[in-house]
Amino acid sequence: ARLSPSLRQLSVGSCNIGNEAATLLLRRLTGRPSFQHLDISDNCLGQRAWGEDTREEQLLITLNESICLLLEKTKGFKFLNLALNTFRTHHALEFMQKLCQDTPNACIDISANSISEQAWSAIQALEEKNWDARGEPIMPSAVELDANGNVVTETGGGPTG
């Protein structure tokens, strides 16, 4: 199916599209100058279970990269809904870092995913710290996680501009 060049928003929430189809969709939408809003909530995206086969693990890596590319290359982008999926703590932190670096005016809803309470606190702290007094974004802090997704260390960032 062809997507209109003037497409501004797309909602495919609760369609059970999975990692592979979501990756293909993200690639088709990346870089569209008028595209602003994508809802891919409740679609079995992310890591379904520990010990998945190698192909599923690679699909998840590719999906995460595609999400980050959408945020980086789609300059007018405003909102991505990833709620009700199975993204883990490290995915959420990758998305947060990409938001802070490339699309500081965009929002992501990652509620109802498999993200630790400590990571939610770290994300909130990054949101609060990533704007300096002039209202310009600064580089996000580096956050190191242990095997359970708990924040171990955090180091400060600097201005992006």
Side-chain angles (χ1 to χ4, degrees), residues 74-128:
T74 310
K75 295 303 177 196
F77 196 74
K78 304 269 186 245
F79 183 74
L80 176 60
N81 189 349
L82 296 172
L84 296 166
N85 285 298
T86 57
F87 290 105
R88 305 265 191 237
T89 297
H90 61 281
H91 306 130
L93 293 173
E94 285 176 21
F95 304 151
M96 182 67 179
Q97 181 178 16
K98 189 52 70 174
L99 270 177
C100 294
Q101 289 176 350
D102 297 313
T103 51
N105 296 320
C107 296
I108 296 181
D109 181 350
I110 53 173
S111 60
N113 279 276
S114 301
I115 301 167
S116 72
E117 288 299 319
Q118 191 171 10
W120 279 118
S121 296
I123 289 169
Q124 185 175 11
L126 288 174
E127 286 176 327
E128 292 169 0

Side-chain angles (χ1 to χ4, degrees), residues 13-59:
S14 302
C15 291
N16 199 25
I17 62 175
N19 291 341
E20 188 169 11
T23 298
L24 295 173
L25 177 63
L26 288 160
R27 288 180 179 169
R28 296 278 311 272
L29 296 171
T30 297
R32 291 174 172 266
S34 61
F35 193 65
Q36 298 178 354
H37 181 112
L38 178 61
D39 179 355
I40 51 176
S41 62
D42 192 22
N43 269 301
C44 301
L45 304 180
Q47 188 167 354
R48 292 190 186 99
W50 296 107
E52 292 182 281
D53 65 50
T54 307
R55 182 175 184 279
E56 282 297 317
E57 290 176 16
Q58 185 56 48
L59 284 174

Side-chain angles (χ1 to χ4, degrees), residues 58 60-70 94-95:
Q58 185 56 48
L60 179 57
I61 292 168
T62 305
L63 173 63
N64 292 347
E65 291 169 351
S66 297
I67 289 169
C68 290
L69 277 174
L70 175 79
E94 285 176 21
F95 304 151

